[in-house]
Structure formats: C-alpha cells, structure tokens
Amino acid sequence: MSDLPRIFAALSDPTRLAIVERLMRDGELPVATLREESEISAPAISRHLNVLIRTGLVRKRARAQQRLYSVVPETIRAVSSWTLDHRTFWEASLDRLEAELHKEMSRK
Amino acid sequence: MSDLPRIFAALSDPTRLAIVERLMRDGELPVATLREESEISAPAISRHLNVLIRTGLVRKRARAQQRLYSVVPETIRAVSSWTLDHRTFWEASLDRLEAELHKEMSRK
DNA sequence: CCGTTAATTAGCCAATATGTTAATTATAGA
DNA sequence: TCTATAATTAACATATTGGCTAATTAACGG
C-alpha cells in the first residue's frame, strides 16, 4: 500500500520537502502561503503539490477560491516505520558510538 | 552535514532501496551478490552504488578483485532523526486513530 | 454581470537520470 | 606471463523532471 520509493522521490525535491515540513509545523495552509517561502512560480508550486497529492503525502480541501493543503500523517508514518523496521541496524551503531565516547571520556 | 533531499533521492530508486535493505540485513556484500536480485546490467548496478557512495549511504572496501559494500549507519539514522523530529505530528494522528478504534470497540 | 483573486492546465525547453553495449582496469592463479 | 574473474568507465539513447510564460478555470464581491 505504501510505495516507499515514490514517497522518497516526493521528498527528494527541496521545495517539496520544505512544503511538507511547513505543513507539518503549521497545519493546513493555502497555496499562496506555501508559495511565499520559495522563489519559484505558482505553476511550479502547483505541480509540486500535485506530486505530493499523488504520493499520498498531502491532501487538498477547497475554501472559496483557496485550496488548503495539509499533510497526511499516515504516509509520513510509513517513512518512520521503515526506519523503525531497521532500527536494530542503526541502533547497534549508536551503541558502538556511545562506547567510543565513554572510552574517550575515561581516557581524560 | 546530512543532506536529506539527496538521501531521499538516493532511496527513491527501487534498485538502490533494495540494495540498501539487503546490505542492512546481510551486512557487507560484494557487487556480484547484489546484482543477483535485480535484472539490470553490471554497469547499471555500479552506477547505482556510486550514487549511494556519493550520498554517504554506503561505503566500499576492496578484497581481491571484489568490492565489498556496506551501509553507513549514521546516514540511515539521519532519516530516522527526521521522522523523530516530527514525531509529535504523526504520533498525534496515531492517538486519534487509537481513540477511534476504542470508540469502535465500545460500540460493539 | 464584471473585475479581481486564487490556482491550475497547456505548451515548451533544458538538465538530469537510467539503461544499454563495448572497452578498460585490476587482481588472482595456473 | 597469460587467462579468467570482478568491477568500473566510456559513449550513447531515451525518459523524466522541473522550470518558465501564457491561457484557462473557479469563486467571491461590488
């Protein structure tokens, strides 16, 4: 159901990542507001939003002429789940790093 | 230091994602082994591995004619950290989902 | 109903990504 | 030293991405 490569692809564009982060922080926002923090044209933003819609990262809602966008938490959670699935891997390395730090400390 | 968009871009290709997952599961592996599970040519794999190297997701080590690749845990942890930075966001939705489930249960 | 605001769609172009086959580099081992 | 093995680099074709301007759609407000 959650197509991880497509989600990663959607998040791989700096403009789109910024949009997603902004929406996670501030909740639902209209296109005009999202446009403020990047230099690019309205049509470009529109297409980026479309990519995010297609991958299920955001949803759209109409209010008058505005279109309000917000993040779909479940899709973000898919990314989180992926990292947790491999937690044992990067956690092990954390332990090693920590051990290294302790060694360093006791040496001084 | 950790360029998230580039990391996401590297993971957005199914072949590369499969390589990273395989390496996380099995540890250090030579190119020939990684090649087994995908249909594409050796040069293609080689270039994918190069992308992973450049983004800091894997490292390479020589042993005879072989080149052994392994995942760099710190870089994977960068992805994990990103999701954790926004945990409050998707966690809130988890709570809501859970609440919904409880409502559902008590109704029956 | 007409003008303004908000956003999207259409059409176009340049840059990047991904795959292929052929050629090259490097090492092992008889 | 010659051959086989392992991987990479070179050269090329094609598809996708991402940007722009101009045109279009939709809704509000006088």
Side-chain angles (χ1 to χ4, degrees):
Chain A
M1 194 244 152
S2 76
D3 190 351
L4 221 29
R6 284 172 54 111
I7 295 173
F8 284 140
L11 297 174
S12 74
D13 181 276
T15 303
R16 286 195 296 263
L17 183 59
I19 288 173
V20 169
E21 291 184 330
R22 177 78 193 271
L23 290 176
M24 283 200 282
R25 222 176 313 106
D26 299 356
E28 206 177 34
L29 291 176
V31 177
T33 305
L34 294 172
R35 223 195 124 179
E36 281 165 19
E37 55 191 319
S38 87
E39 295 293 302
I40 68 180
S41 67
I45 291 283
S46 202
R47 272 222 311 230
H48 280 308
L49 288 170
N50 223 309
V51 171
L52 293 174
I53 289 272
R54 281 201 307 269
T55 55
L57 273 162
V58 306
R59 73 181 116 236
K60 177 164 52 163
R61 188 169 72 91
R63 183 179 65 187
Q65 307 105 307
Q66 292 184 321
R67 297 294 176 268
L68 303 174
Y69 285 83
S70 55
V71 174
V72 177
E74 286 73 25
T75 310
I76 295 293
R77 239 179 43 233
V79 180
S80 171
S81 297
W82 182 77
T83 66
L84 290 177
D85 285 349
H86 301 282
R87 189 176 53 214
T88 49
F89 175 77
W90 53 261
E91 222 169 42
S93 84
L94 250 187
D95 293 348
R96 253 179 279 124
L97 192 73
E98 214 180 328
E100 211 58 40
L101 279 168
H102 283 142
K103 232 194 301 181
E104 189 75 13
M105 301 259 289
S106 59
R107 221 187 301 155
K108 285 177 179 163
Chain B
M1 191 242 156
S2 76
D3 189 352
L4 220 30
R6 282 173 54 110
I7 295 173
F8 284 141
L11 297 174
S12 73
D13 182 277
T15 302
R16 286 194 296 262
L17 183 58
I19 289 174
V20 170
E21 292 185 328
R22 178 77 194 271
L23 290 177
M24 283 200 283
R25 222 177 313 107
D26 298 355
E28 207 177 34
L29 291 175
V31 177
T33 305
L34 294 170
R35 221 195 126 181
E36 281 165 18
E37 55 192 321
S38 86
E39 294 292 304
I40 68 181
S41 66
I45 291 282
S46 202
R47 273 222 313 234
H48 280 307
L49 288 169
N50 223 313
V51 171
L52 293 173
I53 290 270
R54 281 201 308 270
T55 56
L57 273 163
V58 305
R59 72 180 118 238
K60 176 165 52 165
R61 188 169 72 92
R63 183 178 65 188
Q65 307 104 308
Q66 292 184 322
R67 297 295 175 269
L68 303 174
Y69 284 82
S70 56
V71 174
V72 177
E74 286 73 24
T75 310
I76 295 292
R77 238 179 44 234
V79 180
S80 172
S81 297
W82 181 76
T83 67
L84 291 178
D85 285 350
H86 301 282
R87 189 177 53 214
T88 49
F89 175 77
W90 52 261
E91 221 169 42
S93 84
L94 249 188
D95 293 346
R96 253 179 280 123
L97 192 73
E98 215 180 329
E100 211 58 41
L101 279 170
H102 283 142
K103 230 194 305 182
E104 189 75 13
M105 301 259 289
S106 59
R107 220 187 301 156
K108 285 181 178 159

